[in-house]
Amino acid sequence: MRLTVIGTGYLGATHAACMAELGHEVLGVDADPEKAAALGAGRVPFHEPGLPELIARHTASGRLRFTTSFAEAGAFGEVHFVCVGTPQRADSGAADLSQVDAAFAALAAHAAPDALLVGKSTVPVGTAERLARTYDAEIAWNPEFLREGLAVQDTLRPDRLVFGVASPRAEAVLRAVYAPVLAAGTPLVTADFPTAELVKTAANAFLATKISFINAMAEVCEAAGGDVRTLAEALGHDDRIGPEFLSAGLGFGGGCLPKDIRAFAHRAGELGVPLRLLREVDAINMRRRDRVVELAREQCGGAVLGARVTVLGAAFKPGSDDIRDSPALAVAARLRLEGADVTVYDPAAADNARKAFPLLGYAGTVEDALRGADLVLHLTEWPQFREIDPERAATLVARPRIVDGRGGLDADRWAAAGWRFRAPGRPVPAGEGQ
């Protein structure tokens, strides 16, 4: 089939490449000529494992192209996927739908009468019905459930597909688009517009709630002298709960969960349903950043003024160069404002971090970042940080003191190497260095 993808950011570029991988002819559309040209040349402007190879292969074959022209897209496509951003509005926390509205308006003006317009952007419930009333076009909603770092896998081998449709024809078209995925046994949920929109926002709200729950338990563990890692392990063995998203620490960030739970709470309030639960989930999450800053001050004798602080991590999660609402950078910036000399190292996100936070220092290697540090903060859980030899690291720093803000390090191993080790929700290791 001939598909277009409107918006070639993280979601759109991934969807376009994966649709080409499924055998479709795909035209990506973006208002930024430089981005469209870069992708057309096989260059991906962000870090996502496996995506550069897909884009390079399918742009070379001609199956995947990019343009800035809606007129070209309208003439080309049988199915148009809208993958533009829905950022948070500063005034209310609601989702900003200006890009979604502009994309559908442009498609309605140029698409063929029998084309299917499919939303993939995360939107407040009621958006699809409003668009369907506004335009004389067939509309469907097909929410995405991508994990950064695993987006290609999640598109080609998703754990479920959701079709929000208003007609059998729309469902049939989407079944044809995803025929190889469905043939592989992927579960399909067909729903009305409101339910399809709510599936996405409810999923993000549930994941955020689970993360904030275990972080609330970390607060209780600190007050009671318990160990949140052991607590999480015990909870995870319960099949009704499971171990995923039970890692206590610095909390969640990125371009999805924080803004989506705020937009969901705002929209629910508009509908007369006060989701105070999500307000508390958000508040717990933001408190985790405060707690890591407190631990940094404690490690430095009460204040970080003049201390040389190394921050391991800038991306909001490993496997990505995305720094949107990065908890690691939020903590780094706070410590810089309190007078610390902060050096950041991240294997993928350093360039993005440097542009957004130019007053922080940056190192090109872990060793350079550690050298001369008075305090080390582990704030993004890259696998290579778990592989650091604490004995070797102790020879590089000025003072062997560390805060494990992600709970991924072996406390006993670091303590045995002479480090003063602290982590949210965990007791002080026995026999640690001073």
Side-chain angles (χ1 to χ4, degrees):
M1 302 178 71
R2 295 189 308 277
L3 315 180
T4 76
V5 176
I6 314 304
T8 59
Y10 173 79
L11 166 60
T14 302
H15 191 67
C18 290
M19 291 301 100
E21 180 73 4
L22 293 180
H24 302 296
E25 296 179 57
V26 184
L27 181 64
V29 184
D30 202 285
D32 184 345
E34 292 186 1
K35 184 188 294 184
L39 289 167
R43 301 192 303 274
V44 181
F46 52 86
H47 178 78
E48 181 59 39
L51 183 59
E53 294 82 359
L54 279 188
I55 288 182
R57 179 161 71 247
H58 293 302
T59 52
S61 71
R63 184 177 290 170
L64 174 61
R65 298 185 294 110
F66 295 89
T67 183
T68 60
S69 172
F70 271 94
E72 182 182 359
F76 174 84
E78 302 169 78
V79 182
H80 305 275
F81 287 94
V82 174
C83 299
V84 297
T86 54
Q88 179 181 326
R89 287 174 50 181
D91 58 346
S92 65
D96 181 349
L97 297 179
S98 58
Q99 295 180 56
V100 170
D101 289 339
F104 273 90
L107 284 172
H110 294 286
D114 60 346
L116 179 64
L117 281 53
V118 185
K120 289 195 71 69
S121 303
T122 302
V123 296
V125 62
T127 301
E129 287 189 347
R130 174 177 62 82
L131 292 168
R133 290 193 305 268
T134 302
Y135 300 110
D136 183 20
E138 181 91 54
I139 288 176
W141 220 265
N142 170 220
E144 55 85 14
F145 304 97
L146 304 189
R147 297 167 293 173
E148 292 199 30
L150 297 168
V152 171
Q153 170 186 316
D154 289 345
T155 305
L156 296 176
R157 295 180 296 280
D159 52 19
R160 79 282 207 191
L161 287 170
V162 176
F163 296 166
V165 294
S167 74
R169 175 184 176 273
E171 179 180 347
V173 171
L174 286 174
R175 283 180 175 273
V177 169
Y178 288 105
V181 178
L182 292 170
T186 299
L188 169 63
V189 177
T190 301
D192 53 32
F193 288 160
T195 305
E197 292 164 324
L198 284 169
V199 168
K200 171 61 175 180
T201 50
N204 279 358
F206 186 87
L207 296 177
T209 300
K210 194 170 182 181
I211 295 168
S212 282
F213 175 82
I214 198 61
N215 279 327
M217 294 305 99
E219 294 176 346
V220 176
C221 282
E222 288 191 18
D227 187 332
V228 72
R229 287 193 74 185
T230 305
L231 172 66
E233 180 185 2
L235 291 176
H237 286 298
D238 188 326
D239 290 339
R240 298 167 300 174
I241 299 173
E244 297 296 325
F245 293 88
L246 283 182
S247 296
L250 188 51
F252 57 81
C256 292
L257 288 190
K259 77 172 181 68
D260 287 351
I261 64 169
R262 293 164 193 158
F264 191 14
H266 183 273
R267 180 58 178 148
E270 290 179 334
L271 295 170
V273 183
L275 281 182
R276 287 183 287 270
L277 169 65
L278 294 186
R279 306 290 186 190
E280 182 60 19
V281 166
D282 196 12
I284 292 170
N285 188 58
M286 298 309 290
R287 285 204 303 266
R288 305 318 295 154
R289 305 178 188 196
D290 297 336
R291 181 55 181 148
V292 170
V293 170
E294 290 173 2
L295 287 172
R297 293 194 199 107
E298 292 172 10
Q299 287 277 55
C300 292
V304 297
L305 180 64
R308 299 184 65 181
V309 177
T310 291
V311 171
L312 297 179
F316 86 94
K317 63 173 286 186
S320 172
D321 63 352
D322 193 343
I323 63 164
R324 290 176 295 174
D325 199 11
S326 164
L329 288 174
V331 169
R334 283 268 299 276
L335 297 177
R336 172 69 172 74
L337 287 174
E338 294 186 17
D341 178 8
V342 181
T343 298
V344 178
Y345 171 73
D346 189 285
D351 288 344
N352 289 340
R354 187 179 289 108
K355 294 172 186 175
F357 294 84
L359 296 181
L360 299 175
Y362 296 89
T365 66
V366 171
E367 290 76 15
D368 287 344
L370 293 173
R371 195 165 283 113
D374 297 308
L375 173 65
V376 178
L377 304 180
H378 172 227
L379 302 186
T380 305
E381 203 172 359
W382 286 96
Q384 47 266 59
F385 296 156
R386 293 196 299 272
E387 297 169 1
I388 294 174
D389 180 352
E391 293 187 2
R392 164 64 177 157
T395 67
L396 298 174
V397 299
R399 292 176 176 84
R401 300 182 294 200
I402 188 167
V403 174
D404 180 10
R406 289 299 180 185
L409 303 180
D410 185 333
D412 293 335
R413 182 174 176 231
W414 283 80
W419 287 77
R420 187 179 182 192
F421 187 99
R422 297 290 182 273
R426 299 172 65 184
V428 175
E432 70 166 18
Q434 300 296 321

